[in-house]
Amino acid sequence: MPGSKDRLRWFNERRFGMFIHWGLYSIPAKGEWHRYHEAVPPEEYRALAGKFNPRFFRPGEWARLAKDAGMRYMVFTAKHHDGFCLFDSKYTDFTSVKTAAKRDFVREYADACREEGLGVGVYFSVKDWDFPAYFRGPEADSGGFEEIVRHFHNQTLELMSNYGKIDILFYDCSDDANFRGHWGNKSASEVWRSKELNEQVRKLQPGILINNRSGEPEDYGTPENQIPHTVEDMDRMYEACVTMNHSWGYREGDHNWKSTQEIISQLTTCASRGCNYLLNVGPDREGRIPQESADRLYQVGLWLKANGEAVYGTDRVIPNWWNYSGHGSVLTKKNHVYLCLTDWPKEGVEILTTIKNNILSARLLANGEKLTVRRDGRRVFIGGLPLTKPGPWTVVIDLEVEGTPEASYYY
Ligand code: GLC
């Protein structure tokens, strides 16, 4: 089941998603590790739930923004490490339904995704700091830990049973132990009994994609804040998850925003590795996505409207297959090669050296402007480019080639 071709094709076609980190930690506005990093006493942290009543939780707006950005799915933190649930759970009172907000945010979110035709992804933290036994660990407190494992199973199955079709299950932190001691001689997957749980999940949600953070490899890998320049396993799917500033959860003082160009470059690099790109937003305590995030997302959306053909559903290329002087990514799909130029050739000619195929035509993808192609041995000269770079971001050249793109090497 894991890796089944249709589901991976679905993922590949979606390519770009919105990660949303939101919960009680949006109130202190110091990021989602606040409870742990500042050793907040449990009663004090739990009291935040009494103040969590966002005036502007409008997931329809989030979904429309994601769509305008060219994103095709979302992944929402149903429960982060702090243990607070944004969904209705019969296994705890520490939920948004049983405290001030009295709302099931996961339900509203899932409905909004479906309304906009976006894939529905749920993030769920395996570890849970709301259990004192978690910090003692499975060796020191096997009974207490067993209770957490049961809770993990129960809540995952609740999410998989009560919210209609879920496309993606993003587990987190099964092997990231914040307690003293070890897992003993067991693997994280054995401690959490992840195999057994994932089998049950697949029975409830036959089409679901599951990430690798339950301790089992399942369907896809999740490099974090890292854009893969090589891909270890050519048959495996990957999704890079990335922050837009330096934080996942809302952090008031973090102004380290990536530029729109940086985001586009990360997206095209991911696409050239056949990898998805999950870009994070951290809404504030009222449910508002920071303006800085929205500005960048709208700009990426404009770029994708003109250049999306080169990004969605592209094939995997072998890293370092291509050489050309434009310092951008090269993407391939069917009989097309897309060159993503970030540096602009001042004399209107770009030179490419690694393409073996006969090139049938060349054009600027964004406006269809025709370019010239001349081959001289291994070198291909693409000419007729405007002398001034047409636009502030990556420019894509679309080469139509004969057959499936192939590389030519120096020898
Ligand atoms: C980490 C962090 C977490 C964040 C996640 C996103 O494992 O613990 O706060 O949610 O990565 O990938």
Side-chain angles (χ1 to χ4, degrees):
M1 183 64 137
S4 124
K5 280 218 162 84
D6 282 351
R7 290 175 310 123
L8 293 185
R9 194 172 311 120
W10 177 91
F11 206 36
N12 199 32
E13 282 295 333
R14 299 260 151 174
R15 183 63 79 219
F16 184 28
M18 177 183 274
F19 209 175
I20 306 169
H21 276 72
W22 189 67
L24 291 189
Y25 44 81
S26 310
I27 299 178
K30 295 174 177 180
E32 75 289 353
W33 276 66
H34 164 67
R35 179 174 187 162
Y36 180 81
H37 282 153
E38 298 194 7
V40 184
E43 334 62 75
E44 192 180 316
Y45 194 83
R46 285 181 140 249
L48 288 173
K51 294 191 219 155
F52 192 57
N53 191 8
R55 285 183 295 152
F56 305 120
F57 177 76
R58 295 179 190 161
E61 270 192 32
W62 295 356
R64 280 189 293 280
L65 173 59
K67 224 174 142 180
D68 281 339
M71 292 162 152
R72 295 183 169 180
Y73 64 101
M74 310 219 276
V75 179
F76 182 45
T77 48
K79 183 182 87 171
H80 208 270
H81 313 333
D82 64 354
F84 184 68
C85 303
L86 300 176
F87 61 99
D88 197 12
S89 173
K90 64 177 181 212
Y91 302 103
T92 176
D93 291 339
F94 196 37
T95 77
S96 60
V97 180
K98 295 178 191 165
T99 53
K102 299 202 169 29
R103 286 167 76 177
D104 187 328
F105 293 121
V106 170
R107 181 167 312 285
E108 293 182 46
Y109 152 80
D111 289 346
C113 285
R114 293 184 190 116
E115 181 84 16
E116 295 300 331
L118 299 168
V120 184
V122 168
Y123 165 108
F124 189 79
S125 172
V126 178
K127 73 176 172 195
D128 190 324
W129 296 327
D130 205 42
F131 284 80
Y134 175 79
F135 296 98
R136 294 193 284 273
E139 274 192 311
D141 182 355
S142 60
F145 211 89
E146 179 50 35
E147 213 180 295
I148 310 174
V149 173
R150 266 203 306 276
H151 191 66
F152 161 50
H153 283 224
N154 286 338
Q155 289 203 314
T156 303
L157 296 174
E158 260 183 336
L159 282 165
M160 295 300 115
S161 307
N162 299 343
Y163 296 89
K165 186 172 181 294
I166 304 294
D167 299 296
I168 294 164
L169 175 55
F170 191 116
Y171 289 121
D172 195 16
C173 282
S174 59
D175 56 354
D176 173 15
N178 302 132
F179 46 82
R180 284 163 192 270
H182 314 278
W183 296 112
N185 50 12
K186 289 184 173 170
S187 69
S189 166
E190 285 169 321
V191 169
W192 296 106
R193 295 200 309 277
S194 302
K195 236 187 189 140
E196 171 195 325
L197 175 61
N198 291 340
E199 275 166 24
Q200 287 173 278
V201 167
R202 289 192 193 281
K203 280 200 187 109
L204 292 166
Q205 297 283 348
I208 201 162
L209 285 163
I210 303 179
N211 79 348
N212 62 338
R213 295 192 188 177
S214 65
E216 285 296 317
E218 299 298 339
D219 296 307
Y220 66 98
T222 51
E224 183 173 311
N225 270 328
Q226 231 181 308
I227 302 301
H229 286 273
T230 54
V231 165
E232 288 156 30
D233 178 350
M234 294 300 276
D235 295 322
R236 188 158 164 74
M237 190 73 208
Y238 294 87
E239 177 198 65
C241 52
V242 169
T243 53
M244 220 186 290
N245 50 5
H246 289 174
S247 314
W248 298 102
Y250 182 67
R251 186 189 291 271
E252 210 157 27
D254 183 350
H255 303 295
N256 299 294
W257 300 101
K258 290 188 173 63
S259 67
T260 300
Q261 178 56 57
E262 217 173 329
I263 293 169
I264 292 170
S265 290
Q266 292 197 332
L267 172 61
T268 54
T269 305
C270 280
S272 74
R273 307 293 183 253
C275 173
N276 277 18
Y277 185 56
L278 185 65
L279 183 60
N280 184 70
V281 297
D284 70 9
R285 61 182 291 170
E286 304 291 1
R288 290 171 296 215
I289 289 178
Q291 190 62 50
E292 292 89 339
S293 301
D295 288 346
R296 284 155 182 78
L297 290 174
Y298 283 121
Q299 292 182 334
V300 174
L302 286 178
W303 183 85
L304 273 170
K305 269 199 191 86
N307 297 290
E309 182 190 313
V311 172
Y312 302 110
T314 37
D315 300 321
R316 170 160 298 170
V317 299
I318 302 165
N320 307 326
W321 207 42
W322 304 93
N323 292 309
Y324 75 103
S325 48
H327 300 299
S329 307
V330 182
L331 302 124
T332 69
K333 183 157 70 178
K334 294 185 182 136
N335 66 327
H336 287 260
V337 176
Y338 302 97
L339 305 182
C340 297
L341 267 63
T342 47
D343 292 1
W344 196 245
K346 290 230 160 32
E347 299 188 358
V349 180
E350 183 63 41
I351 302 172
L352 174 73
T353 55
T354 45
I355 190 157
K356 204 172 186 177
N357 309 58
N358 187 19
I359 299 174
L360 303 173
S361 66
R363 61 177 185 137
L364 288 179
L365 184 59
N367 62 10
E369 203 176 308
K370 282 223 169 330
L371 305 172
T372 61
V373 184
R374 181 173 64 83
R375 184 186 277 280
D376 183 3
R378 288 188 68 245
R379 303 209 292 169
V380 173
F381 296 80
I382 300 159
L385 291 163
L387 295 174
T388 312
K389 187 173 172 230
W393 307 308
T394 297
V395 175
V396 183
I397 295 177
D398 171 19
L399 303 177
E400 193 193 346
V401 306
E402 214 171 83
T404 305
E406 272 186 84
S408 77
Y409 299 93
Y410 271 106
Y411 52 81

